């Protein structure tokens, strides 16, 4: 599943001892395994073999340039949601012709930047946005290639905050409205409607919701075609779930096996936008115990990584396995593993059994490659963590640790 394993009771990322990395770069530290990253990309790619497929890695999951360039080397395209993500992907050497741009709030400035760059297409999320794209393209004397993002109104059975394909969500366009919009889109002289898109949510562990949504959207595509539309692309989104703890998510092979029969007959180019599936288990967050604090009812391991470094437990109640970097034979105790931030929601894990640990001992928070560093912040004026990419026995610092002076770099005192 991944390449974070113990060798002689010490945790390694591929062939590199985590103790070495923590010693050299300090903690909290994100460590990525390139091999895990690449193998997960290939799992999806191979599973869809035989269909004309473009896999657009969803940058929001982890946008470090080293991750992006590893994906680019594998032939991945990119799924972006902002001008900043476009800037990053171009910086990593992305081919603009493999970039798809989603998001409900694209600004005129961002649309202009994307049109200038020559991306593959915009995934349009509203009638209002379509109009704006047409106007911006007109002002630039260009034609914009677009896909309509359909909200198929299916329940992805995941956390409410990361469900995106239900009618009460802000994402995508209702199918009935999409039909009307399609007709008005024909009147737009600066729009090329070339695709239909869906993305129903994230950390989805079964294939059922995809099948339900794909059936609805495929029927819609057939209607559009009957109406004379030249649809070339069907983007089925991302969202494939991973193992954090006890989950048994659909594998890439069985996912593709179930989906293919529904899409193969459409003779369309298929786009996928996986993020977490590729990078989720390719990263860990290494943190150091500051105090082993005895509370009245609880033992706390107070560590140097907080919710500013990894917000998933606080925000979604997400579970991440937490393991010692060095296996020691000590009495097992029950701990809450918490950060130094002044919020009760600042925890990485609750009620975990771990051998007794003390100041200076290292822990690894697993499955932290997706939506880990990418969602980190400077809350409590904490410089953001460093990031390291391991490949075999080699490693490189791919983002320096921020410093205290970085924290105030953009600020000014009033006179
Ligand atoms: N495509 C679109 C349009 C998306 O909105 C997303 C994720 C993806 C693709 C990639 O989804 P993935 O394959 O990674 O599930 N911060 C949350 C997850 C938010 C997902 C947002 N959209 C978390 O930590 O669980």
């Amino acid at each position: 599943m991944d390449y974070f394993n113990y060798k002689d009771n010490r945790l390694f990322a591929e062939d590199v001892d985590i103790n070495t990395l923590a010693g050299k770069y300090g903690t909290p530290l994100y460590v990525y395994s390139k091999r895990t990253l690449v193998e997960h990309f290939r799992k999806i790619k191979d599973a869809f073999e035989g269909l004309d497929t473009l896999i657009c890695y969803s940058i929001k999951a982890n946008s470090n340039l080293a991750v992006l360039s590893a994906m680019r080397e594998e032939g991945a395209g990119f799924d972006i949601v902002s001008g900043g993500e476009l800037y990053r992907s171009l910086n990593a050497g992305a081919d603009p012709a493999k970039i798809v741009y989603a998001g409900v709030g694209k600004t005129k400035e961002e649309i202009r930047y994307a049109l200038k760059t020559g991306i593959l297409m915009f995934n349009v999320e509203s009638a209002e946005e379509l109009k704006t794209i047409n106007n911006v393209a007109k002002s630039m004397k260009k034609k914009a290639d677009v896909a309509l993002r359909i909200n198929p109104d299916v329940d992805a059975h995941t956390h409410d905050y990361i469900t995106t394909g239900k009618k009460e969500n802000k994402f995508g366009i209702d199918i009935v409205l999409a039909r009307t919009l399609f007709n008005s889109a024909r009147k737009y002289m600066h729009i090329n409607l070339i695709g239909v898109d869906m993305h129903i949510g994230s950390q989805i562990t079964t294939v059922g919701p995809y099948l339900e949504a794909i059936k609805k959207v495929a029927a819609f595509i057939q209607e559009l075609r009957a109406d004379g539309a030249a649809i070339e692309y069907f983007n089925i989104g991302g969202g494939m779930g991973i193992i954090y703890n006890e989950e048994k998510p659909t594998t890439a092979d069985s996912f593709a096996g179930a989906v293919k029969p529904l899409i193969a007959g459409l003779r369309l180019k298929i786009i996928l936008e996986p993020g977490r599936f590729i990078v989720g288990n390719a990263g860990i967050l290494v943190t150091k115990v500051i105090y082993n604090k005895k509370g009245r009812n609880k033992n706390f391991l107070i560590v140097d990584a907080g919710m500013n470094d990894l917000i998933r437990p606080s925000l979604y109640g997400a579970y991440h396995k937490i393991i010692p970097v060095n296996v020691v034979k000590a009495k097992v105790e029950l701990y809450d593993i918490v950060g130094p931030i002044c919020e009760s929601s600042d925890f990485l894990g609750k009620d975990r059994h771990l051998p007794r640990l003390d100041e200076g001992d290292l822990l690894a928070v697993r499955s932290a490659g997706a939506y880990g560093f990418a969602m980190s912040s400077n809350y409590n004026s904490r410089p953001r963590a460093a990031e390291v990419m391991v490949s075999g026995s080699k490693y490189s610092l791919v983002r320096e640790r921020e410093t205290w002076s970085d924290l105030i770099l953009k600020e000014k005192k009033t006179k």
Side-chain angles (χ1 to χ4, degrees):
M1 188 182 84
D2 63 48
Y3 293 95
F4 297 97
N5 294 305
Y6 288 109
K7 290 182 199 168
D8 297 329
N9 292 329
R10 296 162 84 86
L11 186 66
F12 275 65
E14 303 190 19
D15 301 325
V16 179
D17 189 337
I18 298 297
N19 291 283
T20 310
L21 298 176
K24 193 157 178 178
Y25 301 114
T27 52
L29 180 71
Y30 275 97
V31 179
Y32 306 125
S33 149
K34 187 171 179 188
R35 186 163 171 200
T36 311
L37 188 74
V38 165
E39 282 190 10
H40 279 84
F41 175 79
R42 290 184 187 163
K43 276 185 196 183
I44 307 184
K45 194 175 164 214
D46 295 347
F48 278 86
E49 181 97 21
L51 280 183
D52 189 354
T53 312
L54 176 65
I55 298 166
C56 292
Y57 167 66
S58 193
I59 291 186
K60 61 177 82 62
N62 186 323
S63 53
N64 187 286
L65 292 180
V67 172
L68 303 189
S69 58
M71 288 293 97
R72 176 185 48 77
E73 282 165 20
E74 287 294 307
F78 295 108
D79 156 48
I80 62 165
V81 286
S82 68
E85 287 192 347
L86 177 53
Y87 181 80
R88 269 185 183 280
S89 53
L90 296 176
N91 237 280
D95 175 359
K98 289 185 181 174
I99 295 177
V100 295
Y101 188 171
V104 294
K106 304 175 191 81
T107 64
K108 289 193 183 84
E109 190 190 9
E110 289 175 313
I111 294 166
R112 209 169 290 122
Y113 179 28
L115 280 171
K116 202 168 122 215
T117 304
I119 62 164
L120 179 57
M121 75 185 85
F122 295 93
N123 293 331
V124 172
E125 309 231 13
S126 65
E128 295 76 6
E129 180 191 331
L130 190 68
K131 190 171 170 194
T132 300
I133 294 178
N134 182 63
N135 289 341
V136 175
K138 184 177 177 191
S139 72
M140 295 171 74
K141 300 192 177 56
K142 281 187 182 267
K143 257 194 150 176
D145 290 328
V146 309
L148 296 185
R149 174 167 175 185
I150 305 300
N151 181 328
D153 192 24
V154 300
D155 189 347
H157 303 294
T158 183
H159 193 285
D160 266 0
Y161 288 5
I162 53 177
T163 291
T164 50
K166 282 163 79 177
K167 62 177 182 301
E168 56 271 35
N169 301 134
K170 69 178 176 182
F171 300 98
I173 305 161
D174 172 83
I175 281 200
V176 179
L177 286 178
R179 239 166 244 143
T180 331
L181 188 58
F182 168 69
N183 287 324
S184 53
R186 290 175 153 175
K187 292 180 212 122
Y188 288 131
M189 301 307 293
H190 297 270
I191 296 286
N192 262 337
L193 185 65
I194 59 165
V196 175
D197 165 46
M198 58 173 247
H199 171 77
I200 55 175
S202 194
Q203 183 56 14
I204 305 170
T205 49
T206 56
V207 75
Y210 285 97
L211 301 183
E212 197 187 326
I214 289 173
K215 277 183 203 156
K216 286 190 182 178
V217 177
F220 175 64
I221 293 175
Q222 299 291 36
E223 276 181 42
L224 294 187
R225 281 179 154 171
D227 234 1
I231 304 295
E232 286 174 62
Y233 292 91
F234 184 6
N235 181 339
I236 62 173
M240 285 100 88
I242 62 163
I243 301 174
Y244 283 97
N245 188 23
E246 308 271 272
E247 303 88 342
K248 293 202 171 48
T250 314
T251 62
D253 279 336
S254 49
F255 178 83
V259 161
K260 270 181 180 174
L262 300 184
I263 54 179
L266 296 171
R267 295 180 316 280
L268 288 168
K269 291 177 196 152
I270 303 301
I271 299 179
L272 288 117
E273 300 174 347
R276 187 190 321 261
F277 182 88
I278 293 174
V279 80
N281 277 314
I284 60 170
L285 172 61
V286 183
T287 181
K288 192 186 282 174
V289 176
I290 305 175
Y291 297 110
N292 178 333
K293 171 176 171 175
K294 262 217 159 346
R296 194 162 159 157
N297 307 319
K298 288 229 164 195
N299 295 321
F300 296 100
L301 284 179
I302 301 175
V303 298
D304 65 0
M307 65 191 287
N308 73 300
D309 299 297
L310 180 68
I311 203 174
R312 302 194 70 258
S314 320
L315 192 58
Y316 314 113
Y319 183 96
H320 286 259
K321 279 190 184 153
I322 301 177
I323 58 173
V325 167
N326 299 298
V327 181
V328 286
K329 283 209 174 57
K331 188 170 163 262
V332 171
E333 292 178 349
L334 190 65
Y335 291 110
D336 278 7
I337 295 111
V338 302
I341 285 181
C342 301
E343 300 249 4
S344 294
S345 61
D346 178 31
F347 64 92
L348 298 173
K350 287 193 171 165
D351 297 324
R352 303 297 179 88
H353 290 281
L354 285 166
R356 187 187 164 88
L357 292 170
D358 280 299
E359 185 190 340
D361 288 334
L362 296 172
L363 286 166
V365 184
R366 291 180 58 89
S367 314
Y371 308 107
F373 186 90
M375 293 179 82
S376 66
S377 76
N378 290 124
Y379 187 40
N380 276 201
S381 286
R382 290 166 48 82
R384 278 183 294 175
E387 296 173 283
V388 171
M389 176 77 85
V390 172
S391 179
S393 57
K394 298 204 179 81
Y395 54 87
S396 49
L397 184 65
V398 295
R399 193 180 209 271
E400 279 176 38
R401 180 176 306 286
E402 290 179 354
T403 62
W404 288 332
S405 65
D406 289 334
L407 294 173
I408 54 168
L409 207 62
K410 301 272 187 193
E411 293 178 27
K412 280 191 182 68
K413 292 176 236 173
T414 50
K415 287 187 194 105

